[in-house]
Amino acid sequence: MIEAVVFDFDGLIRDTETYEFYSFQEILREYDVELPLELYCKRIGGHAQAFDPYNYLQECTGLSLIREELRILRRQKYDVMIKNEKTLPGVLNYFETARRLGLKIGLASSAPYDWVMPNLEELELVHYFDCIRTNGDVSNVKPDPELYLNVLEYFGVSPRNAIAFEDSPNGAQAARSADMHVVIVPNELTKDLHFADYSLRMNSMLDMGLQQLINVLNLKINS
C-alpha cells in the first residue's frame, strides 16, 4: 500500500534545470565556447561539482577568469529566464490529490536549502510538504540514496510503500537504491538521457493522475 510520495525539486516541480543550462550556455558563448549537454548533465540531480562549467570554460580558453563576476552575470541571466516559470504541468494536481488521499508528502533535493526554500516560497508550495530534505541534511547527495532514506525514516514508511518522482538519472538511481517505486518525469533537458531502472515513465504529470498512477503501480506489484 502506498503511504508516501517523495518529490525531487529542480526540473521536476519547477524547470530550473533547463534555464540554468541556458544561462551557462549564454555565458560560455560569449567566449565562443559551446557547452556540451552530455558533460553538463553529469551535475543534474546530483553534486554540482560533478561538472563545473566555469572550470570547463577556463580549460577551453586558457584565460584567467574572475569567477565571482561570471557567477553574478550568469545568475542575472537565469533570473530573467525563470521569471515567468511556475510549477510544471500537473504538479499541483499531484500535491492536491496526495493530500486528499492522506499520503505523506516529502521533498528530497540535492540542492542547498537556501536555493530550494525560496523557490518553494515563491511558488507558494511549502505548506504541501510534511518533510523537506536538502544537501545540508545528508553526507552524500544523489545518486546516493541517503536523501530518500532520510525522508522515509522521518515518515516511518517502508521504501516499498513509497513513490519517488524524479527527472534525472542521478535522482532515479538514488530512489531505486533506496528500494522505492520510481516514477520518472524527464524535462526538456533530461528527456534524452539514459535512465537505467524505473517503475514508470511519463512525459508530464498531466499524462496520468496520481490515483491512476498508484493503481497502475499496485497492479505491477501484485502481478
Side-chain angles (χ1 to χ4, degrees):
M1 181 178 71
I2 300 301
E3 301 176 52
V5 286
V6 187
F7 297 85
D8 177 46
F9 176 71
D10 287 298
L12 182 86
I13 292 175
R14 190 183 203 184
D15 196 8
T16 53
E17 286 171 352
T18 297
Y19 296 104
E20 289 258 326
F21 176 66
Y22 290 165
S23 62
F24 275 116
Q25 267 190 326
E26 284 198 6
I27 291 292
L28 268 66
R29 281 175 179 161
E30 292 178 5
Y31 292 84
D32 295 320
V33 174
E34 286 298 320
L35 178 58
L37 181 57
E38 61 270 22
L39 290 179
Y40 184 85
C41 281
K42 293 178 181 179
R43 65 187 272 134
I44 294 178
H47 202 294
Q49 297 309 311
F51 173 73
D52 187 332
Y54 301 116
N55 281 345
Y56 182 75
L57 176 59
Q58 190 153 8
E59 291 167 3
C60 289
T61 62
L63 298 174
S64 180
L65 303 171
I66 303 175
R67 293 198 178 202
E68 189 55 33
E69 290 182 1
L70 289 176
R71 288 190 182 96
I72 292 170
L73 181 59
R74 203 281 307 170
R75 181 58 189 264
Q76 289 172 344
K77 291 178 180 293
Y78 169 82
D79 287 343
V80 171
M81 293 176 181
I82 199 71
K83 183 177 180 181
N84 295 317
E85 294 297 317
K86 304 304 181 185
T87 56
L88 281 161
V91 169
L92 288 175
N93 287 339
Y94 265 59
F95 291 162
E96 291 290 348
T97 302
R99 274 278 175 262
R100 179 171 54 80
L101 295 175
L103 303 177
K104 296 175 180 178
I105 305 176
L107 186 142
S109 172
S110 294
Y113 181 86
D114 60 5
W115 166 259
V116 172
M117 288 306 294
N119 274 278
L120 293 179
E121 289 165 357
E122 179 186 343
L123 298 172
E124 300 182 346
L125 299 177
V126 177
H127 67 283
Y128 284 110
F129 295 100
D130 303 301
C131 177
I132 293 173
R133 294 291 183 265
T134 58
N135 67 3
D137 297 306
V138 294
S139 299
N140 301 292
V141 295
K142 303 168 188 175
D144 190 280
E146 189 177 358
L147 274 162
Y148 279 112
L149 294 174
N150 191 309
V151 173
L152 295 176
E153 181 180 8
Y154 178 84
F155 285 158
V157 170
S158 165
R160 302 311 296 161
N161 293 334
I163 304 170
F165 292 89
E166 277 287 353
D167 67 290
S168 73
N170 279 329
Q173 182 181 333
R176 179 57 73 197
S177 295
D179 203 29
M180 302 171 71
H181 304 287
V182 184
V183 176
I184 62 169
V185 192
N187 56 50
E188 187 63 27
L189 204 60
T190 62
K191 64 182 181 181
D192 295 323
L193 300 181
H194 175 66
F195 290 80
D197 190 15
Y198 52 88
S199 307
L200 193 66
R201 177 174 182 144
M202 298 189 294
N203 294 318
S204 96
M205 291 184 193
L206 294 178
D207 288 358
M208 185 185 304
L210 179 58
Q211 180 65 78
Q212 183 184 358
L213 183 145
I214 291 172
N215 293 342
V216 169
L217 289 179
N218 284 334
L219 286 175
K220 285 176 174 277
I221 294 166
N222 297 322
S223 62

